[in-house]
Amino acid sequence: MDLRQFLMCLSLCTAFALSKPTEKKDRVHHEPQLSDKVHNDAQSFDYDHDAFLGAEEAKTFDQLTPEESKERLGKIVSKIDGDKDGFVTVDELKDWIKFAQKRWIYEDVERQWKGHDLNEDGLVSWEEYKNATYGYVLDDPDPDDGFNYKQMMVRDERRFKMADKDGDLIATKEEFTAFLHPEEYDYMKDIVVQETMEDIDKNADGFIDLEEYIGWQAYQGGDC
């Protein structure tokens, strides 16, 4: 297929990949948009470029000539072509877009890993995470802003223990990823549900009534 046909196919697959934007997990862990550009293919394919390439990579394409852009796109397409038959199927394109959606997770984990692996042993213990994140709270239990950081720390410790499969309170990078992004792991779904309930159930009666639900939706800026 030529470049325009490819972009049209990409547009359709992007729409399919984003067809469930209001899953329950998003109410606790908000994922960034694939692009800050308007998704209107009648005007341009800029949104699809960002979704397909990642925003930073897409910016580099703006500096290329059409011939250079086509050459680089060809190299990327070869990565998408999983069975190496010379064609990109709809399923292969969907898989690539889903991978692109998750790239920000890996980037976030790498960034936070560097800030929390204090002894640089390739692991992050709960003590390391607690000291790096809440050390100032431990020194000043009554911060000026009045926010309940201790309650947040208790919640983080509970989630850390859930992510820590072997129970040694030391997280591998995979366990640390599950801690930071529990919505991505099946074994963490109970904690996602529990945290969502706690966030919405303001009177802590174990139920979510209509008023609480509407209030939460309004706070999130969503539609009921």
Side-chain angles (χ1 to χ4, degrees), residues 52-201:
F52 180 64
L53 301 168
E56 292 304 316
E57 179 73 10
K59 289 177 183 177
T60 67
F61 272 71
D62 294 338
Q63 313 302 320
L64 303 177
T65 66
E67 291 75 18
E68 291 171 332
S69 179
K70 187 175 181 179
E71 180 181 356
R72 186 182 294 187
L73 187 60
K75 293 177 180 179
I76 294 174
V77 168
S78 68
K79 297 178 182 179
I80 304 172
D81 180 18
D83 56 13
K84 306 302 179 186
D85 64 353
F87 297 92
V88 174
T89 66
V90 172
D91 286 338
E92 287 172 335
L93 197 52
K94 288 177 186 175
D95 288 342
W96 177 264
I97 292 172
K98 289 176 181 177
F99 168 76
Q101 286 181 284
K102 293 182 183 296
R103 275 185 296 201
W104 76 274
I105 293 177
Y106 306 133
E107 292 168 359
D108 177 55
V109 171
E110 287 299 327
R111 178 179 58 82
Q112 296 212 45
W113 185 264
K114 293 176 182 177
H116 291 97
D117 182 13
L118 302 181
N119 61 7
E120 298 183 347
D121 65 347
L123 300 166
V124 173
S125 68
W126 166 248
E127 286 300 314
E128 284 180 309
Y129 181 83
K130 181 179 69 174
N131 290 332
T133 306
Y134 299 105
Y136 65 97
V137 178
L138 299 176
D139 295 334
D140 181 13
D142 297 310
D144 293 337
D145 59 15
F147 191 82
N148 193 340
Y149 291 102
K150 284 191 173 181
Q151 183 176 350
M152 183 183 291
M153 185 170 65
V154 169
R155 179 162 158 157
D156 271 356
E157 183 176 10
R158 182 182 63 192
R159 190 198 290 185
F160 193 97
K161 288 178 177 178
M162 178 72 75
D164 176 30
K165 285 187 171 182
D166 57 11
D168 61 358
L169 289 180
I170 300 174
T172 63
K173 186 165 286 188
E174 186 72 12
E175 290 171 334
F176 192 63
T177 303
F179 166 68
L180 294 176
H181 300 280
E183 71 280 1
E184 298 297 324
Y185 292 81
D186 286 340
Y187 80 97
M188 295 292 290
K189 286 184 176 177
D190 284 348
I191 202 73
V192 173
V193 172
Q194 184 174 358
E195 290 180 3
T196 304
M197 281 288 298
E198 290 171 351
D199 287 341
I200 304 176
D201 180 21

